[in-house]
Amino acid sequence: MVEEPFDFQTGFTELPMGLVEDLLSQSSKLAEHIRKQIQEMEQVKKEVREQLKREGVLRRDGDFGYYDVPTSCGVDGAYATERLLALDFGVAAAVAVEGIIPPSARSYWSDPQHKAHADAYAHSDDTPVILRALMMEFELELAEQAPHDVVFLDGSMATPIILMDQAINRLIEQTKQGTYHALAVKVLEGFPTYLRDYLSISSGKRSDKIWVASPKYSSNREFGKVLQWRIPLDDRAVFTYVLEAGEFAGPVQMQRPARMWHLTPPDENDEVTKQQIEKLINQLTSLQVLYYRPTAMVPAMRLEVPAPVATNDTRLAMLLQAVKHQCMTPGVMEPFPLYMADRMVKHIGAAMPALRQNATTALTEDGIEAFDMDNVFFSLHGYRSESGGY
């Protein structure tokens, strides 16, 4: 992501001057922590590189020779909830954006692809959780249907199972309590497609296509634990210091969570779905991780891929070519289509006031004189908003 420069003229206008001065004086602690971290890494950089070479997991992208640059796209999603007087206004969306077209290829899409949902629901703390599940259904559907050679997913390959399990458990709990969220119908209708798409994406069986997850943030230490590094940093931070342009490390098996991945079936008596879920979890446990620094302009990238991709040099070369081709834009520190998809879909939260204004216009067209204007204003006033994406 390209960060917007902070405007010191307006950025602190709502804060008391004393608070601003206090925070600025304490922010110098960050500089001290970073200084210490860089010094530690400089001391062990050579040691780590030598260890990676001995283990045979440090290689260069040029080792595979040259292949035609594959086509690619990036998929990202977001959700937003705005608490109105008596309702929750919820939005979930996913966007798929085509990457920079290789010279020898053609464009598949004239515009970004998308899936979106917007509706209002009775107040519930579960609304954001269920919206996230719907967002994941949208993301996986767009990713599975994309015609490109390489499809980048924002976040971890395990994120869809985590978010869906949270939502299904909330819906089951609601049913036990005699309540039912109106959004549940849409999520449950999309569940079979979600499971089918997820199984396809995480299997890596299609030889003509690669799905790769590239989370911007990760605290995982697969390499650190296996190689017993004495530095208490996550792998992505270490490899950003250690890897030179064009180098990659791995693959190694993806770190399993402290609590094993789990997905509750909507219908506990559906044996076919249970078998599919078991197959999905087995595929997730075999996922492989590698870190790649395509150019000196970007940090090391965490790439999570199915085992059939990680163990096949031809497919691995195809993946690395796609990443490198999409990381040639200065200032963009992730594959270009992911960057664009992220910028587009994360504006969902900022668009909420406009959507409420559109609702006000619809009331006007219906004959707003029949309503008390005060009630209309208070009913459509946003008291609290929540938005995010994975």
Side-chain angles (χ1 to χ4, degrees):
M1 292 289 291
V2 177
E3 291 189 11
E4 297 293 334
F6 183 78
D7 187 344
F8 280 87
Q9 296 296 320
T10 61
F12 290 133
T13 54
E14 298 297 326
L15 293 175
M17 184 55 66
L19 175 59
V20 172
E21 292 174 351
D22 191 8
L23 291 175
L24 288 175
S25 67
Q26 294 189 49
S27 65
S28 60
K29 298 175 185 176
L30 173 61
E32 184 57 37
H33 284 296
I34 295 297
R35 184 183 298 110
K36 181 180 179 182
Q37 180 178 291
I38 292 175
Q39 289 172 344
E40 290 177 351
M41 279 309 308
E42 286 300 321
Q43 292 174 3
V44 300
K45 180 177 179 178
K46 183 177 179 181
E47 173 188 326
V48 170
R49 286 185 62 84
E50 290 299 323
Q51 185 184 27
L52 292 169
K53 290 177 182 178
R54 288 197 305 271
E55 297 293 332
V57 293
L58 179 63
R59 292 183 283 174
R60 296 196 62 83
D61 51 19
D63 294 345
F64 297 113
Y66 180 81
Y67 293 82
D68 287 340
V69 177
T71 59
S72 64
C73 72
V75 180
D76 198 4
Y79 71 94
T81 306
E82 199 154 63
R83 309 294 193 187
L84 306 180
L85 179 66
L87 295 169
D88 290 339
F89 181 41
V91 175
V95 173
V97 180
E98 195 164 46
I100 300 170
I101 310 300
S104 59
R106 63 181 178 86
S107 173
Y108 287 104
W109 298 331
S110 57
D111 295 295
Q113 305 297 293
H114 76 273
K115 291 185 70 67
H117 170 84
D119 207 343
Y121 307 97
H123 280 167
S124 172
D125 291 338
D126 295 334
T127 299
V129 177
I130 302 171
L131 277 173
R132 290 200 301 259
L134 184 61
M135 175 192 74
M136 290 312 324
E137 290 182 351
F138 289 166
E139 286 190 48
L140 293 182
E141 186 173 350
L142 288 175
E144 208 282 331
Q145 293 178 353
H148 302 80
D149 301 318
V150 177
V151 180
F152 294 101
L153 299 168
D154 189 76
S156 172
M157 193 73 82
T159 300
I161 194 172
I162 296 170
L163 298 187
M164 182 59 73
D165 189 51
Q166 291 173 351
I168 296 296
N169 286 328
R170 293 289 184 93
L171 296 178
I172 291 174
E173 188 62 32
Q174 285 184 0
T175 302
K176 291 178 180 178
Q177 296 174 359
T179 59
Y180 203 67
H181 199 291
L183 186 56
V185 175
K186 191 166 184 65
V187 172
L188 295 178
E189 283 178 351
F191 186 83
T193 303
Y194 153 90
L195 195 53
R196 181 200 67 202
D197 293 340
Y198 204 178
L199 281 164
S200 175
I201 288 169
S202 60
S203 71
K205 290 181 179 178
R206 285 188 57 175
S207 60
D208 63 330
K209 189 179 293 290
I210 295 172
W211 287 280
V212 52
S214 182
K216 288 185 280 290
Y217 170 82
S218 173
S219 60
N220 284 19
R221 298 183 66 247
E222 288 93 351
F223 285 86
K225 290 179 179 179
V226 171
L227 301 178
Q228 298 181 336
W229 288 340
R230 55 189 175 88
I231 12 172
L233 299 178
D234 61 80
D235 286 349
R236 188 171 187 234
V238 173
F239 281 120
T240 297
Y241 288 112
V242 169
L243 293 180
E244 297 175 359
E247 290 183 333
F248 72 96
V252 296
Q253 188 171 40
M254 183 169 156
Q255 180 179 317
R256 298 184 183 185
R259 177 181 176 273
M260 192 57 184
W261 296 301
H262 179 268
L263 181 56
T264 304
D267 181 359
E268 61 179 14
N269 297 316
D270 187 344
E271 293 301 325
V272 173
T273 298
K274 286 182 178 179
Q275 291 173 8
Q276 290 178 313
I277 291 173
E278 184 178 356
K279 181 180 179 181
L280 172 63
I281 293 174
N282 287 335
Q283 289 179 180
L284 293 178
T285 57
S286 67
L287 288 172
Q288 302 287 301
V289 176
L290 55 116
Y291 285 88
Y292 178 42
R293 193 170 187 191
T295 74
M297 297 184 293
V298 297
M301 294 184 182
R302 177 182 174 89
L303 304 175
E304 300 175 1
V305 293
V309 175
T311 55
N312 183 301
D313 283 355
T314 301
R315 301 183 72 185
L316 201 53
M318 176 177 163
L319 170 63
L320 298 181
Q321 286 277 21
V323 175
K324 192 163 198 168
H325 186 71
Q326 300 301 328
C327 289
M328 304 304 289
T329 305
V332 177
M333 297 190 183
E334 60 183 319
F336 182 75
L338 276 186
Y339 167 76
M340 291 302 299
D342 180 85
R343 282 188 65 91
M344 290 177 186
V345 82
K346 292 306 188 294
H347 280 83
I348 287 292
M352 296 296 274
L355 300 180
R356 282 192 283 113
Q357 182 61 44
N358 190 57
T360 303
T361 302
L363 283 171
T364 304
E365 293 172 350
D366 289 342
I368 200 168
E369 65 276 359
F371 302 99
D372 184 317
M373 283 299 298
D374 287 346
N375 289 336
V376 171
F377 171 78
F378 289 126
S379 294
L380 285 171
H381 176 66
Y383 291 91
R384 186 163 64 91
S385 62
E386 177 181 341
S387 63
Y390 291 80

